[in-house]
């Protein structure tokens, strides 16, 4: 059984910040470093945030079946490699995937035991404000991201849980609770009971 948590949410919902905080709180969590053809942003590091690869390399990997899922998002390709899943979702580790709804659907299909969480903004006005802050102005890119965010919001029913990111601390607390509940699922936490039963014989 794989330990996989998918976290999605429209651009500007604060998902990346929440994921970083969750990873800091639970050291056993591992972040899934996706491959992407998007160029790195100034603060991003290759191998930490993404594996930044050329179109040709991505294409070769996709053809060779090296991705558990991949999708085109905002004009670039993004994919989760099988090697990330195999290396980081085994015993004692839980893999956190920050992927879009196309990826979430594919992962849930292959790993029904995965937990899928959708982070949503409290209001449309808050989402617009965050997108504006990120882009500086409501230019073409911000408008495109807003349209994509609305499309992404409509996919909410794919997910097992919704977290409203109104206040960061409370959204993080919701996420932490969901993670603890995930770990306590009978199938994931039955080792101690099994030991007890063995001793009884
Ligand atoms: P950004 O370019 O802002 O880092 O990410 C854009 C979108 O791509 C985000 O919604 C992010 O969740 C999604 N994404 C990142 N990695 C993957 C991936 O491996 N697969 C899929 N399907 N989406 C991804």
């Amino acid at each position: 059984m794989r330990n996989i948590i998918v976290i999605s949410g429209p651009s500007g919902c604060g998902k990346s910040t929440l994921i970083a905080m969750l990873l800091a709180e639970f050291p056993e969590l591992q972040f899934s470093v996706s491959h992407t053809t998007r160029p790195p942003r100034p603060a991003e590091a290759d191998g930490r945030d993404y594996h930044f690869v050329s179109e040709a390399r991505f294409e070769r990997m996709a053809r060779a079946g090296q991705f558990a899922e991949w999708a085109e998002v905002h004009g670039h390709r993004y994919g989760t490699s099988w090697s990330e899943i195999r290396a980081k979702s085994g015993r004692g580790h839980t893999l956190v995937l920050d992927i879009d709804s196309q990826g979430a659907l594919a992962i849930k299909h292959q790993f029904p035991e995965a937990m899928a969480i959708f982070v949503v903004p409290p209001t449309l006005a808050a989402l617009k404000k965050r997108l504006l802050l990120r882009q500086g102005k409501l230019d073409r890119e911000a408008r495109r991201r807003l349209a994509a965010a609305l499309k992404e919001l409509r996919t909410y029913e794919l997910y097992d849980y919704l977290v409203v990111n109104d206040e960061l601390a409370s959204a993080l607390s919701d996420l932490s609770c969901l993670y603890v509940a995930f770990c306590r699922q009978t199938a994931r936490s039955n080792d101690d009971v099994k030991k007890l039963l063995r001793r009884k014989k």
Side-chain angles (χ1 to χ4, degrees):
M1 170 182 246
R2 295 276 170 195
N3 300 326
I4 297 176
I5 299 179
V6 172
I7 303 183
S8 308
S11 187
C13 71
K15 169 189 56 166
S16 309
T17 309
L18 278 170
I19 291 176
M21 292 169 90
L22 189 73
L23 291 173
E25 191 173 325
F26 298 98
E28 71 276 21
L29 287 176
Q30 305 271 315
F31 182 66
S32 171
V33 182
S34 296
H35 283 70
T36 184
T37 58
R38 155 167 94 57
R41 296 185 185 127
E44 289 178 332
D46 188 35
R48 185 194 64 195
D49 302 288
Y50 283 106
H51 298 290
F52 296 99
V53 294
S54 64
E55 282 285 350
R57 167 102 197 276
F58 195 100
E59 181 61 28
R60 275 200 304 278
M61 287 184 70
R63 277 177 193 266
Q66 290 181 27
F67 291 122
E69 64 77 32
W70 72 264
E72 195 168 314
V73 190
H74 308 313
H76 299 289
R77 295 207 275 176
Y78 296 81
T80 308
S81 68
W82 280 111
S83 60
E84 282 292 294
I85 292 185
R86 288 193 192 110
K88 300 179 179 173
S89 66
R91 280 190 156 263
H93 291 298
T94 296
L95 184 66
V96 177
L97 276 69
D98 171 349
I99 57 176
D100 82 330
S101 53
Q102 307 170 71
L105 187 62
I107 292 291
K108 276 296 268 187
H109 187 70
Q110 293 177 81
F111 302 99
E113 74 275 24
M115 173 168 73
I117 302 172
F118 197 51
V119 180
V120 294
T123 61
L124 211 52
L127 181 71
K128 275 187 188 166
K129 201 172 144 195
R130 284 181 202 163
L131 280 174
L132 261 174
L133 279 180
R134 187 179 288 182
Q135 295 295 131
K137 56 184 176 1
L138 199 60
D139 58 7
R140 249 179 81 195
E141 173 60 18
R143 262 188 253 278
R144 204 168 59 81
R145 289 221 168 214
L146 183 62
L150 291 176
K151 197 171 157 207
E152 184 92 358
L153 268 179
R154 291 194 188 96
T155 67
Y156 73 94
E157 280 175 313
L158 292 175
Y159 295 85
D160 302 307
Y161 298 99
L162 295 175
V163 169
V164 179
N165 187 14
D166 190 356
E167 213 223 310
L168 205 55
S170 130
L172 177 64
S173 155
D174 284 3
L175 266 187
S176 306
C177 290
L178 289 174
Y179 170 57
V180 173
F182 177 76
C183 295
R184 299 290 176 273
Q185 281 178 345
T186 309
R188 276 193 184 81
S189 64
N190 55 13
D191 280 359
D192 290 342
V193 186
K194 279 185 184 160
K195 266 185 230 153
L196 279 178
L197 290 172
R198 269 201 298 274
R199 267 184 215 136
K200 205 171 165 272
K201 279 185 203 160

